[in-house]
Amino acid sequence: MATCISAVNLNYQIAPRTVSKFTSATSSDQTASFSFGASESVGPSLRLALTRAAKSTTTRLLRKKHGSLPLRVFCVDYPRPELENTVNFLEAAFLSSTFRDSPRPAKPLKVVVAGAGLAGLSTAKYLADAGHKPVLLEARDVLGGKVAAWQDEDGDWYETGLHIFFGAYPNVQNLFGELGINDRLQWKEHSMIFAMPSKPGEFSRFDFPEALPAPLNGILAILRNNEMLTWPEKVKFAIGLLPAMLGGQSYVEAQDGLSVKDWMRKQGVPDRVTDEVFIAMSKALNFINPDELSMQCILIALNRFLQEKHGSKMAFLDGNPPERLCMPIVDHIQSLGGEVHLNSRIQKIDLNDDGTVKSFLLNNGKVIEGDAYVFATPVDILKLLVPNNWKEIPYFQKLEKLVGVPVINVHIWFDRKLKNTYDHLLFSRSPLLSVYADMSVTCKEYYNPNQSMLELVFAPAEEWVSRSDEDIIAATMSELAKLFPDEICADQTKAKIVKYHVVKTPRSVYKTVPNCEPCRPIQRSPIEGFYLAGDYTKQKYLASMEGAVLSGKLCAQAIVQDSELLAARSQKAVAQASVI
């Protein structure tokens, strides 16, 4: 298979990093250590002369005139998969084209959008494509919402979450293409890799063969894995899954009333299948366990993964999301006449006498008026700001069942390069941790040849979100000692912590528990001129980055469809104001 290779130039002599939170003695041996795709680490044992070649990574040594030994390290990514011919990609591409091809408005609508996460950015981007003027307001001083990230005093980034871009994200993939930033996704090998709690330090893989189409590649990946499920368990799971494969989307939506655990038992699937596979999947998808998660969520993921050849193929963004993903969207919006403002928190939704929106009042006292208004914040923030006049309307009443789930994202920088890891997302199968990755290997901007930085999702987090950072790090280290038995001890007698960051999100994506589906609102509200966007709104990808982007497109679509009505309404309001 061809590979896409990107180079990082490094000096042979590497200076010690500035440390914070923890201080530890760094090794006096400043020889660089390199991590490769197959969990292999090459470093101090090679000293000044590297004589072995890494399996799939080219390492070149070039001596300079004065005898120093600079290193040129090539990090291998996999090619972008062929996504453009899938039905879902083409549907997403067509929806994008409708905004670019729509008739230009005689007078662009001024649409005020609250929230610069992916839903708000998507809404504003596609409204701008349609010729309208979005004014995007973000409460914080950083873009991205649930994909926000911050830079510490050392210049290192820490993020709200560990974000993975799947091949089965057609609207996200179209968005990258429309912005001309496809090269910012670092695609990994088509595998799912699970830690083995019964065998500390070992992993079990589901490898999807490139030569086979879907669903055969997924079926073979499952059949070839003999470490996690027995053959009788695979057969019973396959039989249990048949109704979902045959029944299509209508069957999937009908399973919203059952938890994963209840559905599995109803279908005669052994509990061990849930324990071995679906605890990890449930925590990765919604940060909760399978006894709480709606089976609809799992079936939607399986449907995409099994029906699209590259659906479960994963990519990492090549750097921090605010700069590498959000800023290109902002630049696009501004290039078409839109506006984006940070530090603009909504304090109140002011209403006209007829109950429609008059303006957004900001915390700084500014009043923002528009022809239409969009709330693209998390559902919990919306519920705090819903005007009293609206609270008895069923559309808004149903929102009470939608509640954000707490999650914690942990970043730990170690004093050495860890060997027992992959250039990939890893499912920990830990009771406290969900997924994790060594970002010093998987992400170009975070690349470090000498030290590992593990980013881990701590979930379920409901009992931990109020605990101290120190407690969370101690618990994380205890779990990591099981994943890295030869390299990490909870007491740091092996690998030592250089520093850490803990990011707590008390209310993240909406908790996809049974019977939530009827409560999810469509993007067009019953209040004329007021719209919603967000992964909790009605769209087929549930709580995900893809769901957020699609919700923004659907919101923009509703506004474009209503544009003549909204323009006439604004003209009437202006006329009435002039008479008064």
Side-chain angles (χ1 to χ4, degrees):
M1 180 184 294
T3 54
C4 301
I5 301 178
S6 59
V8 179
N9 287 302
L10 301 163
N11 289 328
Y12 178 75
Q13 190 73 15
I14 297 176
R17 301 281 304 283
T18 304
V19 301
S20 62
K21 295 257 185 180
F22 280 97
T23 57
S24 62
T26 56
S27 171
S28 60
D29 185 351
Q30 294 298 310
T31 310
S33 174
F34 303 92
S35 182
F36 302 102
S39 306
E40 206 169 309
S41 179
V42 183
S45 61
L46 302 185
R47 302 294 174 179
L48 294 176
L50 296 177
T51 57
R52 285 193 303 164
K55 288 181 181 177
S56 62
T57 304
T58 304
T59 304
R60 295 178 182 172
L61 303 178
L62 299 173
R63 292 187 180 275
K64 290 186 176 179
K65 291 181 181 179
H66 301 292
S68 61
L69 190 60
L71 299 180
R72 185 171 173 82
V73 180
F74 290 83
C75 305
V76 177
D77 295 330
Y78 283 72
R80 184 176 186 274
E82 296 180 3
L83 305 172
E84 287 77 9
N85 292 325
T86 64
V87 172
N88 287 313
F89 187 94
L90 292 171
E91 286 180 356
F94 175 74
L95 181 54
S96 293
S97 72
T98 62
F99 298 104
R100 298 188 300 270
D101 298 340
S102 65
R104 299 298 90 176
K107 181 182 178 183
L109 294 173
K110 178 183 177 182
V111 183
V112 185
V113 183
L118 289 181
L121 288 164
S122 173
T123 303
K125 189 265 186 195
Y126 291 104
L127 284 171
D129 283 350
H132 298 290
K133 182 181 177 180
V135 178
L136 185 56
L137 307 174
E138 168 54 43
R140 300 188 293 183
D141 61 355
V142 61
L143 297 166
K146 299 185 189 78
V147 301
W150 300 266
Q151 204 167 16
D152 68 15
E153 60 271 19
D154 300 324
D156 292 317
W157 288 88
Y158 55 102
E159 305 181 6
T160 306
L162 178 52
H163 305 294
I164 299 299
F165 297 81
F166 285 98
Y169 280 3
N171 290 282
V172 168
Q173 298 300 334
N174 268 277
L175 178 62
F176 272 80
E178 292 159 24
L179 297 170
I181 58 172
N182 275 332
D183 60 343
R184 297 188 183 186
L185 287 178
Q186 292 182 253
W187 291 95
K188 307 305 177 184
E189 60 184 325
H190 198 171
S191 303
M192 289 188 171
I193 306 173
F194 291 76
M196 298 291 287
S198 60
K199 300 176 182 179
E202 295 187 20
F203 296 88
S204 181
R205 301 170 59 104
F206 292 87
D207 294 315
F208 294 72
E210 181 66 26
L212 294 179
L216 296 179
N217 63 341
I219 293 171
L220 188 58
I222 295 170
L223 293 179
R224 290 196 304 190
N225 182 297
N226 296 315
E227 296 146 337
M228 291 178 65
L229 299 179
T230 65
W231 274 96
E233 288 168 342
K234 292 176 187 177
V235 170
K236 288 180 180 178
F237 175 52
I239 293 172
L241 200 59
L242 277 176
M245 297 180 71
L246 299 175
Q249 188 65 23
S250 60
Y251 177 87
V252 169
E253 292 180 0
Q255 307 315 301
D256 176 55
L258 293 173
S259 71
V260 175
K261 181 171 280 190
D262 289 342
W263 185 91
M264 293 289 183
R265 288 177 174 172
K266 177 186 174 186
Q267 297 300 113
V269 178
D271 283 349
R272 215 180 77 84
V273 175
T274 303
D275 296 339
E276 290 293 298
V277 178
F278 289 100
I279 289 178
M281 278 196 69
S282 297
K283 295 205 299 184
L285 289 169
N286 200 239
F287 313 128
I288 56 178
N289 282 314
D291 58 338
E292 289 188 279
L293 183 67
S294 167
M295 189 61 195
Q296 182 192 28
C297 186
I298 292 286
L299 290 176
I300 285 174
L302 289 176
N303 188 32
R304 294 287 173 261
F305 291 169
L306 290 175
Q307 293 192 15
E308 298 179 21
K309 177 177 178 178
H310 303 294
S312 56
K313 194 174 179 70
M314 303 180 210
F316 285 72
L317 191 63
D318 67 357
N320 71 87
E323 292 182 352
R324 302 299 290 169
L325 172 56
C326 300
M327 273 309 301
I329 305 176
V330 169
D331 292 341
H332 180 86
I333 293 167
Q334 292 177 333
S335 73
L336 296 176
E339 301 176 16
V340 180
H341 302 279
L342 301 178
N343 299 305
S344 301
R345 186 178 299 274
I346 309 297
Q347 178 179 310
K348 184 182 178 184
I349 301 173
D350 278 328
L351 303 183
N352 293 306
D353 292 340
D354 63 359
T356 58
V357 179
K358 179 181 180 181
S359 62
F360 285 168
L361 173 64
L362 306 187
N363 273 7
N364 60 16
K366 290 184 179 179
V367 174
I368 309 296
E369 297 182 344
D371 300 308
Y373 300 85
V374 177
F375 242 72
T377 68
V379 65
D380 299 280
I381 294 175
L382 168 65
K383 289 191 291 185
L384 291 174
L385 291 170
V386 168
N388 289 331
N389 299 29
W390 296 357
K391 288 184 176 178
E392 299 305 314
I393 299 173
Y395 178 91
F396 295 103
Q397 280 183 328
K398 291 179 181 179
L399 297 178
E400 289 306 312
K401 186 172 174 60
L402 303 179
V403 178
V405 62
V407 67
I408 299 169
N409 209 43
V410 177
H411 311 70
I412 303 178
W413 284 258
F414 288 96
D415 66 346
R416 65 195 68 184
K417 200 71 174 175
L418 299 172
K419 299 177 182 179
N420 195 35
T421 187
Y422 288 80
D423 180 10
H424 214 298
L425 181 77
L426 301 172
F427 293 82
S428 75
R429 299 176 71 205
S430 150
L432 294 181
L433 303 177
S434 173
V435 292
Y436 70 98
D438 186 344
M439 299 298 282
S440 71
V441 176
T442 61
C443 175
K444 290 176 186 176
E445 185 178 11
Y446 303 162
Y447 178 79
N448 187 326
N450 230 26
Q451 296 174 326
S452 285
M453 188 277 271
L454 296 185
E455 185 171 346
L456 313 104
V457 178
F458 196 106
E462 191 163 357
E463 296 178 7
W464 286 87
V465 75
S466 61
R467 302 276 288 272
S468 70
D469 289 359
E470 290 74 18
D471 285 349
I472 291 166
I473 292 296
T476 300
M477 286 294 287
S478 294
E479 295 303 309
L480 288 178
K482 303 169 189 175
L483 295 169
F484 298 85
D486 297 328
E487 300 176 90
I488 295 177
C489 281
D491 62 4
Q492 297 188 59
T493 52
K494 295 179 181 177
K496 293 178 172 55
I497 295 177
V498 174
K499 65 179 179 181
Y500 65 79
H501 288 292
V502 173
V503 180
K504 299 176 180 178
T505 306
R507 291 286 181 265
S508 182
V509 295
Y510 79 96
K511 194 173 184 179
T512 314
V513 295
N515 299 311
C516 268
E517 191 63 24
C519 302
R520 297 174 65 205
I522 59 172
Q523 287 74 31
R524 182 188 285 110
S525 87
I527 306 300
E528 190 175 280
F530 185 76
Y531 303 81
L532 299 180
D535 58 18
Y536 69 93
T537 62
K538 190 73 172 177
Q539 42 73 29
K540 61 183 178 180
Y541 290 95
L542 303 184
S544 64
M545 291 186 291
E546 171 69 11
V549 171
L550 177 55
S551 77
K553 291 175 85 168
L554 295 175
C555 180
Q557 181 185 53
I559 293 170
V560 171
Q561 290 171 347
D562 296 346
S563 58
E564 292 185 6
L565 172 67
L566 294 169
R569 179 173 165 270
S570 293
Q571 291 171 0
K572 181 180 178 182
V574 170
Q576 289 175 340
S578 62
V579 170
I580 294 173

